Amino acid sequence: MTTSPQASLSSGFVRGSEEDGIVRYLGIPYADAPFGENRFRAPQPVTAWHGVREATQFGPTPPQVPYAGAIGELLGSVRIEGDDILTANVWAPSGASAAPVLLWIHGGALERGTAALPLYDGTVFAKAGIVFVSINYRLGSEGFSVLDGAPRNLGLRDAAAALEWVHREIAAFGGDPERITAMGESAGGAIVAGLLARDDSRALIGRAIIESGPLRAQTAKKAGRVTAQLAKRLGVRADRDAFAALTPEQLLDARKAQSAGSSPLGGAPGFQFAIDPDSLPRSPHEVLGGIDTPLLIGSNTDEYRLWFPPEALAGISELKLQAARLLSRIPRRAVSAYRRAFPGAGTGEVFGQLVTDMMLRAPLSRVAAARQANTHVYEFAWPSPVRDLRAAHALELGFVFDRLGDEEARRMAGPDAPRELAREMNTAWVRFVTQGDPGWPAYGSGRLTRLFDTDSTTVPQRRTAGMDLLPG
């Protein structure tokens, strides 16, 4: 039986739906639409509405170009038209009161993704007694351009505004504003790290989960390379007035042409956080080691295999590996250690492991080692049989959300992925949100790491000889 519950927010009443003991509210604005006079401005307070607003459909998705090619066959996309893209969605147990809260921030290289993907359904967390919230934020040029006359890191500012909204409004859905866990994967993990690096946002976060999230912000000049190149391609100045005069579609078309043939590991510059006194004074990798927020953090064994199919890996030469080594100041003995750690691996596989460890695993390990606060580290190692993905980037999501039957999860994990592993991982995440302990010892001096596989174990962190030689 489905009913229509209502919640009273500071901006007005919303009407959701209830089924099987789970209350759901979708598409609730946490800020005004970032278009028109609000385009390339910091998120503005949401305009109050009269009467009861229907909250049974996801809000519009931020402007973006879907994944193309082989990645597009693995990672789904949802497009919902409209301008009200800064919205939140809530799943809560019926009758919840002062329940722990989980704020989910999706990934997508800061230029793709949406909370409306079915994989991100919060029902499994609500059934565990958690009030689950997911959000959309500005992406790509709309969210992460570096423009004269415009605030920096607009997408991160959106997430900060959404976090403030959750803290202010979540009691109306039965959540405890003092028990918010922020959780994100890939670019969403980077945003969680960015929120933790801000004093104002960190004060609202009780615990944090970062899955395969880059932790480094760049100088404004380096983060602005993508914007400068787009401006040159479009024949305009890299300033707010010039970019605001272009339609979102024009910016997307230019970005599509700019990034053709690129990947997160090479090619055209990608969108990144910019160090900025107003929105991100310090890079997260410099801050996370010294804060006291409990942290669950980890990565996947074969992250790079999402971006590089086997034929592309086979085409990576020793010359390219050595060029990458010199460019990144990687010692020769680190490359030798990676070859020993992956016996029989081809040059492309060694290249992929090196680059993704530089980007993901080495920074998270340094942060974990520096922390005195409660820190739990994991490695997701289950190898997917699909396209020889192995334990590729984003594969763990179907397990964390315990939705292996979902089409999105099946595209990456296949039809026979171990459901016991999904239940194990989801249980661990729920335990961390509710108790602060996912069920294995903290990282500590022993570098203990939970290795998630068909038979999961807790072991000293693997493959550290080469990783510890990588430059910081």
Side-chain angles (χ1 to χ4, degrees):
M1 178 180 178
T2 301
T3 60
S4 302
Q6 292 187 20
S8 176
L9 310 178
S10 58
S11 51
F13 287 92
V14 289
R15 179 184 292 117
S17 61
E18 180 178 351
E19 187 172 5
D20 296 331
I22 303 300
V23 178
R24 186 172 73 165
Y25 296 85
L26 305 178
I28 309 169
Y30 65 81
D32 262 356
F35 297 104
E37 65 178 17
N38 289 338
R39 197 159 176 227
F40 298 110
R41 292 182 65 194
Q44 300 298 301
V46 66
T47 301
W49 56 84
H50 299 288
V52 180
R53 183 185 181 109
E54 294 296 327
T56 56
Q57 302 290 329
F58 286 105
T61 51
Q64 60 190 277
V65 175
Y67 290 101
I71 297 181
E73 295 172 4
L74 294 170
L75 300 181
S77 182
V78 173
R79 182 173 180 175
I80 304 172
E81 298 289 346
D83 288 345
D84 254 331
I85 63 173
L86 301 184
T87 58
N89 316 289
V90 180
W91 287 256
S94 178
S97 176
V101 179
L102 179 57
L103 170 60
W104 165 248
I105 304 176
H106 71 78
L110 298 179
E111 58 182 321
R112 292 182 176 89
T114 167
L117 283 175
L119 183 61
Y120 303 151
D121 185 288
T123 299
V124 68
F125 289 100
K127 285 183 176 179
I130 294 167
V131 176
F132 180 93
V133 184
S134 63
I135 62 167
N136 283 341
Y137 54 95
R138 277 174 282 186
L139 302 171
S141 294
E142 304 292 330
F144 296 96
S145 290
V146 177
L147 300 169
D148 291 340
R152 306 267 165 84
N153 302 314
L154 289 173
L156 177 61
R157 292 173 188 258
D158 292 342
L163 174 62
E164 292 171 6
W165 180 90
V166 171
H167 188 264
R168 183 174 62 248
E169 309 287 0
I170 203 64
F173 304 101
D176 184 347
E178 304 304 319
R179 300 174 67 195
I180 299 173
T181 298
M183 165 181 161
E185 183 268 343
S186 193
I191 288 180
V192 171
L195 294 174
L196 290 172
R198 295 166 46 118
D199 291 344
D200 57 346
S201 299
R202 184 170 66 252
L204 306 182
I205 297 173
R207 296 170 186 145
I209 302 173
I210 298 175
E211 301 175 28
S212 303
L215 304 180
R216 185 181 293 270
Q218 306 294 341
T219 64
K221 182 177 181 179
K222 187 169 184 179
R225 287 176 184 170
V226 59
T227 308
Q229 288 188 14
L230 281 172
K232 184 176 181 180
R233 179 179 290 272
L234 288 160
V236 301
R237 291 174 56 85
D239 62 30
R240 181 184 184 274
D241 290 343
F243 269 52
L246 299 166
T247 65
E249 290 72 26
Q250 286 175 302
L251 290 173
L252 289 173
D253 288 344
R255 174 58 180 164
K256 183 177 180 180
Q258 178 195 38
S259 60
S262 298
S263 80
L265 304 185
F271 292 100
Q272 301 180 75
F273 295 159
I275 301 295
D276 170 60
D278 293 329
S279 59
L280 192 62
R282 296 176 63 197
S283 176
H285 82 281
E286 299 175 343
V287 178
L288 266 58
I291 63 175
D292 60 4
T293 310
L295 179 63
L296 170 59
I297 189 167
S299 62
N300 298 354
T301 305
D302 307 291
E303 301 272 6
Y304 66 97
R305 298 188 79 89
L306 174 64
W307 306 303
F308 282 103
E311 57 271 21
L313 290 172
I316 294 176
S317 65
E318 185 69 26
L319 183 63
K320 183 169 184 177
L321 173 60
Q322 293 306 323
R325 182 186 72 78
L326 292 171
L327 182 64
S328 302
R329 299 178 291 110
I330 299 172
R332 286 183 183 275
R333 56 199 181 109
V335 177
S336 298
Y338 273 82
R339 292 192 190 281
R340 290 192 299 272
F342 295 94
T347 301
E349 293 173 311
V350 173
F351 170 83
Q353 292 289 357
L354 271 167
V355 176
T356 48
D357 273 14
M358 285 275 292
M359 182 171 64
L360 298 174
R361 200 167 73 103
L364 79 83
S365 299
R366 293 189 191 104
V367 162
R371 285 172 51 86
Q372 299 298 313
N374 183 17
T375 306
H376 292 83
V377 174
Y378 74 89
E379 177 185 340
F380 180 80
W382 181 78
S384 170
V386 176
R387 298 188 187 180
D388 200 22
L389 285 172
R390 304 181 197 175
H393 190 69
L395 178 62
E396 88 286 355
L397 288 171
F399 295 82
V400 168
F401 279 82
D402 195 5
R403 290 183 63 84
L404 293 179
D406 183 85
E407 179 186 352
E408 180 94 352
R410 290 167 69 93
R411 281 200 293 265
M412 287 195 70
D416 301 314
R419 295 185 178 275
E420 296 81 5
L421 179 56
R423 286 191 286 270
E424 178 190 357
M425 290 191 72
N426 179 258
T427 298
W429 266 236
V430 167
R431 280 190 51 162
F432 183 78
V433 173
T434 57
Q435 304 172 34
D437 177 5
W440 67 89
Y443 186 72
S445 59
R447 304 177 77 160
L448 293 178
T449 301
R450 186 64 173 174
L451 190 66
F452 285 110
D453 205 336
T454 306
D455 295 307
S456 300
T457 55
T458 300
V459 297
Q461 191 174 31
R462 306 192 302 170
R463 307 181 313 280
T464 57
M467 182 184 72
D468 289 346
L469 295 171
L470 298 178

